Amino acid sequence: MIDKSIVNDMAMILTGQSEKVVGEALSLPAVATVQGNLDLMIDGFGKPIPAEDYHKIKGVSVAPGNRVLAVPIEDGHTFIVTGEVE
């Protein structure tokens, strides 16, 4: 059985690393707006996520002005766009 305290410690380490990389912690899915250059502007986030730092689920397309759901992965600054929000 996995010790929950070890998992919690690992989560804190990963969160700390994301804060160092982007200057802000983001570990939960977030709503974002696709910018004209296809960068993502996460609601409440200080700077856009460059188009090369996010991926899309197969079949999902994005266009400027779309509101999308973005899920952070691994390093806390790479995202997967899972779909458009209405």
Side-chain angles (χ1 to χ4, degrees):
M1 185 161 190
I2 298 174
D3 183 348
K4 288 184 182 179
S5 66
I6 293 172
V7 173
N8 287 337
D9 289 345
M10 291 175 66
M12 293 301 292
I13 290 168
L14 292 174
T15 300
Q17 288 300 319
S18 69
E19 288 174 350
K20 290 177 187 174
V21 171
V22 298
E24 298 181 44
L26 189 59
S27 58
L28 298 172
V31 176
T33 302
V34 179
Q35 304 295 296
N37 60 359
L38 300 183
D39 288 355
L40 292 180
M41 181 56 77
I42 305 285
D43 290 1
F45 204 59
K47 54 187 169 184
I49 306 301
E52 60 270 8
D53 283 347
Y54 69 88
H55 306 279
K56 299 174 293 192
I57 291 202
K58 190 173 184 173
V60 171
S61 61
V62 297
N66 286 157
R67 299 279 289 153
V68 298
L69 182 63
V71 179
I73 58 171
E74 297 173 358
D75 54 14
H77 75 278
T78 302
F79 293 83
I80 295 177
V81 172
T82 61
E84 190 171 355
V85 178
E86 292 186 18

